[in-house]
């Protein structure tokens, strides 16, 4: 999979070279390319923003650098599949595991990281010609820019690519997975069986896997109903 990120803070994305994602890149499973939007400006100050038409607080990202950057990006693909272009935005559809799964099957994804009050709305409209465009948020709160959001989505997507995670069974048994009926994960324990006066639930030491499975499912339902009751309704 190829992932491109366009940002005015490319250094922000250096975290993607670490850990599991960095390893996947070194193993050739992943090709991550980070670009500085200012490389597509032509003025001395490398200007990327301007005041909003209609008034209001804050600045808006100018369309011209984005247009040129996305032109060059669109030209650079070798694959025939239409690349997916994600505009990060607190007003987008909310990212979740289902979207992560869908995106993990793509050949090429690109992130356009907005800053300030956002990118001139014509950019996303124009980009539809060459990309499958989506506007995506990572949750109901406001960040200063899309860089951290792009990293969050990249991590959630990349770990689903076959071969990135050593033991694929761990993907099956986690929160939000189909096998767990989209519920939150049950509590887990390791040795010692007794620690600071707290004991591991006895059933987990019983060796009875039918009972253990039932106990875990019950725990999942309980935790989900307490923390995320809306997930129980979705699964039914
Ligand atoms: Cl994707 N961008 C920004 N700026 N804020 C956010 C977000 C994205 N998702 C949640 N808040």
């Amino acid at each position: 999979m190829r992932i491109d990120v366009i940002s005015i803070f490319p250094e922000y994305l250096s975290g993607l070279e670490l850990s599991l994602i960095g390893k996947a890149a070194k193993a050739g499973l992943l090709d991550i390319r980070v670009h500085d939007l200012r490389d597509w400006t032509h003025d001395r100050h490398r200007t990327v923003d301007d005041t909003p038409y209609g008034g209001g607080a804050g600045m808006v990202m100018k369309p011209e650098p984005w247009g040129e950057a996305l032109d060059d990006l669109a030209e650079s693909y070798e694959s025939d599949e239409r690349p997916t272009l994600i505009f990060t935005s607190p007003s987008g559809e909310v990212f979740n595991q289902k979207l992560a799964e869908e995106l993990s099957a793509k050949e090429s994804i690109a992130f356009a990281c907005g800053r300030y009050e956002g990118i001139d709305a014509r950019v996303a409209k124009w980009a539809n010609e060459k990309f499958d465009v989506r506007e995506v948020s990572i949750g109901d709160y406001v960040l200063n820019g899309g860089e951290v959001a792009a990293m969050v989505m990249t991590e959630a997507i990349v770990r689903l690519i076959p071969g990135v995670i050593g033991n694929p069974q761990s993907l099956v048994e986690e929160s939000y997975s189909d096998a767990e009926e989209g519920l939150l994960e049950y509590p887990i324990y390791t040795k010692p069986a007794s620690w600071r006066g707290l004991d591991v639930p006895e059933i987990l030491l019983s060796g009875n896997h039918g009972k253990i499975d039932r106990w875990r499912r019950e725990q999942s339902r309980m935790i989900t109903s307490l923390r995320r009751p809306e997930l129980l309704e979705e699964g039914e």
Side-chain angles (χ1 to χ4, degrees):
M1 175 186 283
R2 178 172 154 189
I3 297 181
D4 288 80
V5 185
I6 306 174
S7 160
I8 57 168
F9 293 119
E11 318 84 74
Y12 235 111
L13 285 305
S14 57
L16 294 177
E17 287 159 27
L18 303 173
S19 189
L20 201 124
I21 301 177
K23 257 190 221 157
K26 284 188 193 94
L29 294 167
L30 191 65
D31 175 9
I32 299 193
R33 307 184 194 182
V34 180
H35 314 271
D36 186 344
L37 178 68
R38 292 191 203 274
D39 290 347
W40 287 277
T41 58
H42 304 288
D43 63 310
R44 217 154 50 85
H45 297 109
R46 310 184 88 198
T47 311
V48 293
D49 62 337
D50 206 337
T51 54
Y53 273 120
M59 298 292 272
V60 178
M61 294 192 104
K62 294 161 61 60
E64 301 96 322
W66 280 110
E68 291 190 29
L70 295 173
D71 282 341
D72 284 351
L73 186 59
E75 292 284 306
S76 74
Y77 291 107
E78 278 154 34
S79 158
D80 289 335
E81 187 185 290
R82 247 167 99 81
T84 297
L85 174 61
I86 296 171
F87 285 88
T88 62
S89 160
S91 325
E93 61 176 312
V94 179
F95 188 74
N96 60 18
Q97 193 66 22
K98 185 165 168 272
L99 185 50
E101 278 162 17
E102 182 187 332
L103 294 172
S104 72
K106 304 282 180 195
E107 274 173 29
S108 321
I109 300 173
F111 291 98
C113 297
R115 279 261 151 188
Y116 314 112
E117 299 308 306
I119 304 172
D120 184 301
R122 290 169 292 185
V123 174
K125 191 169 177 185
W126 170 85
N128 264 309
E129 252 177 54
K130 293 175 177 167
F131 299 86
D132 281 343
V133 173
R134 309 185 71 137
E135 206 170 306
V136 184
S137 158
I138 60 164
D140 297 342
Y141 40 80
V142 176
L143 303 169
N144 287 333
E147 285 74 13
V148 170
M151 289 177 77
V152 165
M153 292 188 255
T154 297
E155 181 155 328
I157 293 163
V158 165
R159 63 191 292 285
L160 299 175
I161 298 172
V164 169
I165 290 214
N167 178 3
Q169 186 63 19
S170 34
L171 295 176
V172 176
E173 293 173 10
E174 66 190 5
S175 291
Y176 306 111
S177 65
D178 288 343
E180 308 300 327
E181 297 166 25
L183 304 180
L184 303 182
E185 205 174 3
Y186 44 81
I188 52 161
Y189 303 88
T190 184
K191 293 176 276 301
S194 186
W195 175 77
R196 297 191 177 183
L198 300 170
D199 293 340
V200 171
E202 211 167 312
I203 196 160
L204 297 176
L205 313 176
S206 71
N208 183 333
H209 289 285
K211 271 193 169 170
I212 290 172
D213 285 348
R214 280 192 295 280
W215 180 85
R216 283 178 166 168
R217 193 155 319 206
E218 194 182 287
Q219 292 289 313
S220 278
R221 286 186 181 283
M222 221 156 64
I223 290 167
T224 308
S225 71
L226 284 171
R227 297 181 189 161
R228 300 290 305 280
E230 76 279 12
L231 292 178
L232 285 170
E233 280 128 46
E234 280 170 30
E236 276 157 12

